[in-house]
Amino acid sequence: AYRRQRQMCIRDSAKKIEAAAKASDELLAGIGKTEAEAEVKSVGESYVKSDGFSLVKAGQYGARTAVKANTDIHGLGELGTAYDSTRDLGVAQSVGRDDLTIFNWLRPVEIEEAAVKWVEETADEGNFKIVKPGEQKPQLHFGYTAKSAALATAAGWFDSHVSLIRRAPEFAARINERGLRRLRLDQENLLLNGKEATDGFNGLLNTSGIGTVTAASKAEWLDALYDAITQAETLGEYPVDGIVISRADWGVLRKTKDAQGAYLMGNPFAPGLASQTLFEVPVYVSSQLAAGTAVVGSSENATMYLDKQIYVDVTNSDKDKFTKNIVTTRIEQDMLPVFERPGAFVKVTLTGEQ
C-alpha cells in the first residue's frame, strides 16, 4: 500500500512538473513578439497592423486586406501598383454590437464557400405512435424543396482625411465605428427587407411561406403578437425565441398605461427592464424595421451565412482625392440569409395609432 501510494505521489509530481514546464514554454514563446504579432481585438485594429496599411501610410496604394472574423488577417492579391506581403497578425474578433439585434438573434455562420445548398421544409405528414409486435410502423414524410443560391456581396465606401492615417488608433476606430457598424446595420436591413430582384436574395419579410397576423387597432397589438407566437410554434415546431419590432412601435407598447396611469410594462426606472420580453419571449428592437411591422419566430429555423472574410481596401488614388488629402476606404462581405422553415416566422401588421 505504501509503495502504491508513493508511486501515485511520484506520478502526480511528474504531472505538475510537466504542466509547469508547458506554462513556462508558453510564457517564453510570448516574450519578444512584435506588436503586429500580438492578439488584436477588432477589424480596424487588424487593418492598421497590416502591410496594406503600411503602404497607405507610405503614400502608396494599399494591398487588399482580408480580415478573418475569428482567425487572422493576411494581405491578398495585387491591386493597382501595390505589392503583396503576407503576415499573420493574430486573432480578430467578430464585429458585433449589442444593439445590432438581428445578428444577436440569428447567430451568423461564417463559411468559405461562394454558394450554399439547403433544404426548405414544407408540409409534413405522419406521426410516431405506439405499435404492437409485428405491426406495421408508421411512415413520417417530411416535405421539402432543395434549394441553392450564391452569396451576395454587401459593399460600400467612405472618405476620410489623410491625417487619420497618421493616427492609427483613430483610423481603426473609424473603420470599426463607422464602416463595420454601418455594414452590420445595412446587412440587418437586407436580412429583413432584401428583394431577390435587386439584392440577389429575399429577406425574411419577402420570403414566401411566412405567416401573417394583423392587429386592427392599437388595443389588439399584444393579442396579435401572442397569436403570432402560437402560429409560429405550431408550424415551426420549435419554441419562438425572438420578437423583432421597430423602435417606434416598441415605444408605443412601452409607454402604454392603465386606467390609473401606471405603465403596463412596469416602472421604467425599475431594475431588470434591460431584459426586454413579451410573453416571456425576448424582444429585439431594430432600427431597420419599418413602423407598423413586427416579426415573430424561431432562430432554429434560419441561418445567416457570411463570408468568413471581411475585405478592407484603402487608397489615396481615387480620382482627384490624392491632391485633396483624402483617402477612400471600401469594405465588403458576402452574405446570404436562409430560412429553412418559413412557416416558423410570422409577420405581424400593427395598425392603428402609432
Side-chain angles (χ1 to χ4, degrees), residues 73-297:
I73 172 176
H74 300 282
L76 294 182
E78 191 171 285
L79 292 178
T81 59
Y83 62 88
D84 174 40
S85 177
T86 300
R87 180 174 60 184
D88 185 2
L89 296 184
V91 179
Q93 298 175 356
S94 297
V95 172
R97 295 286 293 269
D98 291 341
D99 53 343
L100 302 185
T101 60
I102 307 302
F103 279 82
N104 289 346
W105 182 32
L106 296 185
R107 297 183 295 274
V109 174
E110 295 173 346
I111 62 174
E112 296 181 347
E113 295 80 4
V116 174
K117 295 180 179 180
W118 74 97
V119 169
E120 182 179 292
E121 294 188 27
T122 56
D124 56 67
E125 301 174 354
N127 295 287
F128 285 92
K129 69 175 185 178
I130 303 298
V131 296
K132 297 178 181 179
E135 185 179 358
Q136 179 67 40
K137 277 69 175 178
Q139 177 186 2
L140 280 71
H141 175 71
F142 299 110
Y144 68 89
T145 301
K147 292 196 169 187
S148 64
L151 275 66
T153 302
W157 59 270
F158 57 90
D159 287 337
S160 306
H161 194 270
V162 72
S163 61
L164 282 182
I165 299 297
R166 306 184 190 105
R167 303 191 296 274
E170 291 184 43
F171 191 63
R174 183 164 177 79
I175 290 175
N176 292 331
E177 296 302 320
R178 298 300 296 158
L180 271 297
R181 177 173 169 77
R182 183 57 180 268
L183 172 65
R184 288 294 184 245
L185 285 171
D186 290 340
Q187 286 177 322
E188 182 173 307
N189 176 53
L190 290 166
L191 191 155
L192 286 170
N193 306 300
K195 295 181 180 180
E196 187 170 7
T198 55
D199 304 312
F201 58 81
N202 284 324
L204 178 55
L205 293 176
N206 293 311
T207 296
S208 176
I210 66 171
T212 58
V213 171
T214 299
S217 66
K218 176 184 171 183
E220 298 180 6
W221 283 17
L222 290 175
D223 291 344
L225 288 168
Y226 189 85
D227 291 343
I229 293 172
T230 301
Q231 180 177 326
E233 291 189 346
T234 300
L235 296 178
E237 297 185 353
Y238 280 93
V240 165
D241 58 10
I243 298 173
V244 183
I245 193 169
S246 72
R247 172 62 63 185
D249 292 335
W250 179 246
V252 171
L253 291 174
R254 191 66 191 86
K255 293 186 290 183
T256 301
K257 300 177 181 179
D258 60 21
Q260 285 71 44
Y263 288 103
L264 286 179
M265 297 183 67
N267 181 355
F269 299 103
L273 287 179
S275 176
Q276 302 174 152
T277 62
L278 281 177
F279 304 112
E280 300 181 343
V281 175
V283 174
Y284 298 94
V285 181
S286 174
S287 61
Q288 305 304 304
L289 193 61
T293 300
V295 179
V296 172

